Amino acid sequence: MLQVFLGGDLTMRKDLSIAVQADAAFVHSLTLPVATALLALFFRSLRIMLLPLVTITLSVASSLLVMYHVSQILPLHYLVPGLLTCVTLACSVDYCLFFLARLKVRT
């Protein structure tokens, strides 16, 4: 029986991309419920808790949408979606907490 194995950079990139996507899905399935529970405990208000969740979701979705349109024109590295999501998530959480701190001071 003859066996053929593929190798090289393209095969490794494809395998690594699949592994990164699977790991990201697993991490998100663990961290999102924990983050939601911590927000509920910290803010003690469902309405204020929804503000970070909505703004973070909108910012990540919009940045990925822009990246998708850019990827139709330019070839992007396979790590770009993960890095873009991390940076967008960090910035949106930071600005949302800044906004909530200002809101809390005024009320």
Side-chain angles (χ1 to χ4, degrees), residues 16-59:
L16 188 59
S17 176
I18 292 170
V20 165
Q21 289 174 358
D23 288 344
F26 177 69
V27 167
H28 290 317
S29 68
L30 291 177
T31 57
L32 287 178
V34 171
T36 305
L38 288 174
L39 281 173
L41 286 172
F42 181 73
F43 293 125
R44 294 186 186 108
S45 170
L46 183 64
R47 192 170 51 168
I48 295 176
M49 183 192 74
L50 289 177
L51 183 65
L53 294 177
V54 169
T55 57
I56 291 167
T57 303
L58 287 175
S59 63

Side-chain angles (χ1 to χ4, degrees), residues 7-16 78:
D9 189 46
L10 291 176
T11 304
M12 288 178 52
R13 283 184 187 205
K14 183 177 178 182
D15 289 342
L16 188 59
Y78 65 93

Side-chain angles (χ1 to χ4, degrees), residues 13 16-17 28 35 51 54-55 63-64 71 74 76 91 98 100 106:
R13 283 184 187 205
L16 188 59
S17 176
H28 290 317
L51 183 65
V54 169
T55 57
S63 65
L64 289 175
S71 72
L74 300 170
L76 296 177
C91 290
F98 174 72
L100 288 174
R106 289 187 180 185

Side-chain angles (χ1 to χ4, degrees), residues 36-107:
T36 305
L38 288 174
L39 281 173
L41 286 172
F42 181 73
F43 293 125
R44 294 186 186 108
S45 170
L46 183 64
R47 192 170 51 168
I48 295 176
M49 183 192 74
L50 289 177
L51 183 65
L53 294 177
V54 169
T55 57
I56 291 167
T57 303
L58 287 175
S59 63
V60 169
S62 63
S63 65
L64 289 175
L65 185 65
V66 168
M67 185 201 61
Y68 173 75
H69 290 298
V70 170
S71 72
Q72 299 299 315
I73 300 168
L74 300 170
L76 296 177
H77 196 268
Y78 65 93
L79 290 176
V80 170
L83 293 174
L84 180 70
T85 303
C86 290
V87 170
T88 305
L89 187 62
C91 290
S92 60
V93 166
D94 184 43
Y95 285 118
C96 193
L97 290 176
F98 174 72
F99 174 73
L100 288 174
R102 300 264 305 172
L103 182 70
K104 192 173 184 177
V105 169
R106 289 187 180 185
T107 58

